[in-house]
Amino acid sequence: MAERVQCEFFLIRYVPDVVKGEFANIGVLLREAGRDDSAVVRFTRDWARVKCMDADADIGLLEALEGRLELGCGAGPARRRESSR
């Protein structure tokens, strides 16, 4: 049986209007507790909820954010492909 590993996760939210308090979870970052080099980032591929909340949302920018987070957390595209196998 595989050894259990303690992990941390962080939800990534899109908040079009802070005053209204509405948000949509658009991604998650998962990493082994205390290890920055073990991060895995996943974003939604269905942006309908975001567009419903904010018709002017820049989806291209939000999609680019996933790549930037991967680079900043050491979870680059090669690592991402390996983890999805």
Side-chain angles (χ1 to χ4, degrees):
M1 180 176 223
E3 182 181 331
R4 290 185 178 205
V5 176
Q6 186 173 0
C7 293
E8 302 170 321
F9 73 94
F10 303 89
L11 290 176
I12 301 159
R13 292 181 168 177
Y14 179 74
V15 183
D17 186 343
V18 177
V19 175
K20 289 182 181 178
E22 296 175 336
F23 65 87
N25 293 328
I26 61 169
V28 64
L29 184 146
L30 177 69
R31 72 176 186 178
E32 188 176 333
R35 286 193 52 202
D36 292 338
D37 64 336
S38 66
V40 177
V41 179
R42 295 287 186 273
F43 267 44
T44 186
R45 298 293 174 241
D46 180 4
W47 296 99
R49 184 156 183 234
V50 170
K51 292 299 271 183
C52 184
M53 294 171 68
D54 181 4
D56 296 326
D58 187 344
I59 302 303
L61 177 74
L62 296 174
E63 290 173 335
L65 177 62
E66 179 180 15
R68 297 291 293 181
L69 286 172
E70 287 174 337
L71 291 174
C73 296
R79 178 184 174 84
R80 188 170 157 202
R81 274 187 237 104
E82 290 172 5
S83 65
S84 64
R85 290 181 186 170

